[in-house]
Each structure stands twice: as structure tokens, then as C-alpha cells.
Amino acid sequence: MSLRSPLARVLGLGAAGDGTSHWWAQRITAVAMLILGVWFAVSLPGLDLTDRGAVASWVAAPFNSVLLILLIAVGAYHSQLGTRVVIEDYSRGWAKVAGLVAVQFIHVVVAGAGILAVLRIGTGG
């Protein structure tokens, strides 16, 4: 005998009801990372990475700044999604809760630092 409602059985939702949204988020961010990663990899060979001014002016270009910020934000979110699954699957009790909080905090701080760096380099600050 199942305790799930008929609607939950039809929709295939798990106990938390958001398993498919997490799965879709991972796939969509993976595709976004692929597109942004290709853009980034194609953009770098034409750039003199030893010249700080050239890199700063490249980052300051609005198109590049927006795509760099998207790359950082999507990359951090995609990484957080994957790391969260590992912690949920292999941790129990207080270690699971502490790990989930730490992962969320670390990813927000790293994404914020990356975005701030792009903004500071782009504005010359």
C-alpha cells in the first residue's frame, strides 16, 4: 500500500517532490556551461594574457563582462547542485546538515568574489 496520492504517483514525484526540478537544473546549467565555456575558450587565444591592460579592456567590454558574470554564476550554481547531491547521498545526521550549509555558503562567497572581481576589473577599480 502506497501513502502517495494518485497525483504524485502520476507525476512521479519523490518524497520531497522536487527531484525532477533538480535534475532539470543540472542539465540546463550543464548546457549553459558548455556554451559559455566554448565562448571563453574561443575568446582566450586572441588575447595577450601577459598584458594586464589588454585583459582589463577585454573584461571591460560589456558583452564580455556579462558573459563572464554569467559563466561565474552558472558555474557556481552548477557546482553547488552537484556537490549538494554528493553530500545528500553520502552524509548522515549533523555532518549532512553542516555540509549542506557549508557548501551553500562557500559557493555564494566564491561566486560573489568572482563577480566582484569582474566588476572591479571592468570598471578599472
Side-chain angles (χ1 to χ4, degrees), residues 5-28:
S5 70
L7 180 61
R9 281 193 297 272
V10 169
L11 295 176
L13 298 176
D18 67 345
T20 55
S21 65
H22 189 263
W23 185 87
W24 274 110
Q26 282 185 319
R27 285 1 176 233
I28 291 170

Side-chain angles (χ1 to χ4, degrees), residues 58-99:
W58 181 80
V59 171
F63 182 74
N64 294 335
S65 292
V66 169
L67 290 182
L68 278 173
I69 290 171
L70 281 174
L71 180 66
I72 292 166
V74 172
Y77 183 58
H78 182 75
S79 173
Q80 185 266 340
L81 287 171
T83 310
R84 181 182 179 100
V85 169
V86 172
I87 291 172
E88 287 173 346
D89 288 348
Y90 297 107
S91 298
R92 298 286 177 250
W94 66 268
K96 181 177 184 176
V97 174

Side-chain angles (χ1 to χ4, degrees), residues 98-119:
L100 290 173
V101 169
V103 161
Q104 184 74 25
F105 179 76
I106 290 168
H107 281 90
V108 167
V109 168
V110 168
I115 292 169
L116 180 63
V118 169
L119 294 174

Side-chain angles (χ1 to χ4, degrees), residues 39 43-44 46-66 68 117-125:
W39 161 79
S43 297
L44 286 183
L47 187 62
D48 181 16
L49 297 176
T50 60
D51 182 12
R52 182 171 167 32
V55 173
S57 64
W58 181 80
V59 171
F63 182 74
N64 294 335
S65 292
V66 169
L68 278 173
V118 169
L119 294 174
R120 288 196 61 182
I121 292 170
T123 59

